[in-house]
Amino acid sequence: MKNFKKIAAFLHLWLGLISGVIITIVAITGCIFVFEDELFNFFHQDIVYVKAAAKPLPLYVLEENAQKALPKGEKINLLQVKSDSDAYLFSANKANKKSKSIFFLDQVAYNKDVYINQFTGKVKGVINRKYEFFRLVRMTHQFLLLKKEIGSLIVGSSVLMFLFIILTGFVIWLPKKLKNLKQRLVVKWNAKFKRLNWDLHSVFGFYVIPFALILVITGLVWSFRWWELGIYKSLGTAKRPNLLKEYVSLPGEVSTKTASNIALNTIKKLNNGNFKIILLNYPEDEKMSMMATVQIVKTGDAWRGLSYFYFNPNTGTLFDKILHQDKSLGMKWRNSNLDIHDGGIFGWPTQVLAFLASLIIATLPTTGFLIWLGKKKKKKINYSGVVSN
């Protein structure tokens, strides 16, 4: 056991030194990320919320007004609908595929959100999401503001190291004798700095283990496809589902400007008020369907409820659907992974837990580094013979 602890201590130290800065950045941005929606809505109340009226204007009218609020060439490709007290949100985003830069911002051609009052047709505001604070926080959390392929690899590798840091940390934490267990579970707040720092690292590090494991397991999904596929397979889903669907146009089929309106009304009717968010995608490819993702409220289980609806983009006719209750266990997990990761799965109580866990994790590299630095200084003093007992 002694040799095993030595190996664990060696791995814990060096993996921590290698990944510490990245883990700190990811954890701090994760704290903010937990309450991203709530904070954004709080600071943008004037454009996010509307006064509900009798009936929204036709969707094609709102689309035209939203499109006019954008520069020429920036095309709307997504609509977000919430409650009657929330403004309709039209998004226009496009990647800059020609960019050879390693930085994330250079990969974005444009990314703008247009908030519009669905009852009056008035544009309430336009947010340039490319430079918006919470968007930058999120992209720092995921990619360190680097190109996705580079940033996700760095973040993912650091988080993978952190997984081993958690496991080796538990091995180091284990007391030699049962009578010493209490000492490992309580912070001695009145101790000197060195002991207090040790307790903050060791005690808080122990308590955060289960939450850290959840954050790591769910977080690695966005960095490594093999990790995501591994979870899918462990839940009985053989491969990653392809949610995009093509449609077959009928001879003589003519496109109508009311197609999106027909699709939205169909979704509302089918879900009969049992929805939190509706996302309607406007396809750029002529062969692709108009897909709607609907987050439902009453799911009948603990998973985040998402249903998918597929429409003919020319006529707005529904031709296929994947309801939440019909999805595989793997799909239900994948749709819930973000909510598990950021604590949104059960509302504010789990959000608070995710926030506190991220905050504690953010401190561990620093307290761990100070422990190592203190031991290193002590060794130098002993070797030099300056201090003797």
Side-chain angles (χ1 to χ4, degrees):
M1 185 65 181
K2 187 177 180 181
N3 290 333
F4 185 56
K5 277 201 169 187
K6 281 185 177 180
I7 295 171
F10 177 83
L11 293 173
H12 190 81
L13 169 63
W14 289 104
L15 290 177
L17 290 174
I18 294 169
S19 65
V21 174
I22 305 299
I23 294 302
T24 301
I25 294 171
V26 171
I28 291 173
T29 52
C31 288
I32 304 171
F33 176 63
V34 167
F35 294 105
E36 176 187 12
D37 290 339
E38 291 82 358
L39 289 170
F40 180 88
N41 291 346
F42 176 79
F43 289 113
H44 298 86
Q45 296 180 48
D46 56 326
I47 65 171
V48 170
Y49 300 113
V50 298
K51 185 178 180 180
K55 189 178 180 181
L57 293 173
L59 196 52
Y60 68 86
V61 174
L62 302 178
E63 290 167 352
E64 289 174 359
N65 291 353
Q67 191 64 67
K68 289 176 183 178
L70 296 171
K72 187 177 180 180
E74 296 185 2
K75 188 177 179 181
I76 290 170
N77 47 26
L78 179 68
L79 165 66
Q80 176 179 284
V81 175
K82 293 183 178 179
S83 69
D84 286 343
S85 60
D86 291 276
Y88 278 17
L89 169 58
F90 291 92
S91 296
N93 55 78
K94 184 178 181 181
N96 181 12
K97 296 180 179 179
K98 294 182 180 180
S99 175
K100 296 181 180 179
S101 171
I102 65 169
F103 298 105
F104 170 77
L105 292 178
D106 295 328
Q107 310 301 313
V108 181
Y110 57 83
N111 186 354
K112 293 179 181 176
D113 287 345
V114 181
Y115 289 83
I116 190 166
N117 187 320
Q118 62 269 35
F119 302 105
T120 65
K122 181 182 177 181
V123 173
K124 294 178 67 65
V126 179
I127 298 290
N128 187 349
R129 294 283 286 179
K130 182 175 179 178
Y131 302 106
E132 194 270 325
F133 173 75
F134 293 106
R135 177 67 174 172
L136 293 177
V137 167
R138 188 166 186 168
M139 293 302 100
T140 303
H141 182 74
Q142 288 187 254
F143 312 128
L144 301 176
L145 285 181
L146 298 173
K147 187 177 181 180
K148 182 179 179 180
E149 293 78 7
I150 298 173
S152 62
L153 179 61
I154 296 173
V155 171
S157 299
S158 298
V159 172
L160 201 56
M161 289 182 206
F162 185 61
L163 176 59
F164 287 97
I165 291 170
I166 295 169
L167 299 176
T168 54
F170 176 69
V171 173
I172 298 167
W173 175 89
L174 288 171
K176 294 179 181 179
K177 297 179 181 180
L178 192 60
K179 66 178 182 179
N180 296 328
L181 181 61
K182 184 180 179 181
Q183 181 184 331
R184 300 294 176 96
L185 295 173
V186 180
V187 175
K188 191 175 181 180
W189 294 103
N190 60 350
K192 291 184 178 180
F193 176 77
K194 187 176 180 181
R195 169 61 190 276
L196 178 60
N197 182 70
W198 172 271
D199 281 355
L200 291 174
H201 186 79
S202 179
V203 177
F204 282 149
F206 168 73
Y207 285 123
V208 85
I209 285 175
F211 306 103
L213 287 173
I214 292 172
L215 293 174
V216 167
I217 291 169
T218 53
L220 285 171
V221 167
W222 290 287
S223 290
F224 300 121
R225 182 62 61 86
W226 57 266
W227 184 274
E228 179 187 25
L229 186 57
I231 298 178
Y232 264 124
K233 288 182 177 180
S234 68
L235 296 175
T237 303
K239 60 180 181 179
R240 190 173 187 262
N242 181 16
L243 296 173
L244 300 178
K245 291 182 183 290
E246 293 186 358
Y247 83 102
V248 179
S249 60
L250 298 174
E253 186 175 272
V254 179
S255 178
T256 171
K257 64 180 181 180
T258 61
S260 57
N261 212 122
I262 294 170
L264 181 59
N265 288 337
T266 301
I267 295 166
K268 288 183 176 181
K269 185 177 180 180
L270 288 173
N271 290 278
N272 193 26
N274 183 30
F275 67 87
K276 184 178 179 181
I277 301 174
I278 296 172
L279 295 176
L280 185 64
N281 289 276
Y282 297 84
E284 296 182 13
D285 191 328
E286 295 179 355
K287 295 181 179 180
M288 301 307 295
S289 64
M290 180 186 295
M291 185 179 81
T293 306
V294 182
Q295 183 179 351
I296 57 177
V297 181
K298 299 175 183 177
T299 64
D301 54 37
W303 296 107
R304 182 187 190 218
L306 286 184
S307 294
Y308 301 90
F309 298 87
Y310 300 89
F311 300 90
N312 183 317
N314 293 324
T315 65
T317 305
L318 177 69
F319 71 87
D320 200 1
K321 59 186 176 181
I322 304 174
L323 300 179
H324 172 72
Q325 60 266 30
D326 298 330
K327 294 185 303 188
S328 66
L329 181 59
M331 285 185 69
K332 288 181 178 180
W333 153 74
R334 188 61 184 88
N335 288 157
S336 305
N337 190 71
L338 176 59
D339 280 356
I340 298 171
H341 184 70
D342 66 11
I345 191 70
F346 295 123
W348 70 263
T350 44
Q351 283 180 289
V352 171
L353 285 175
F355 173 83
L356 293 175
S358 297
L359 188 62
I360 291 171
I361 290 170
T363 68
L364 296 179
T366 300
T367 53
F369 178 76
L370 291 175
I371 291 171
W372 172 73
L373 201 62
K375 289 182 177 181
K376 194 175 181 182
K377 286 183 177 179
K378 184 178 179 181
K379 284 183 179 180
K380 284 184 177 180
I381 292 172
N382 289 336
Y383 291 153
S384 64
V386 174
V387 176
S388 60
N389 295 321

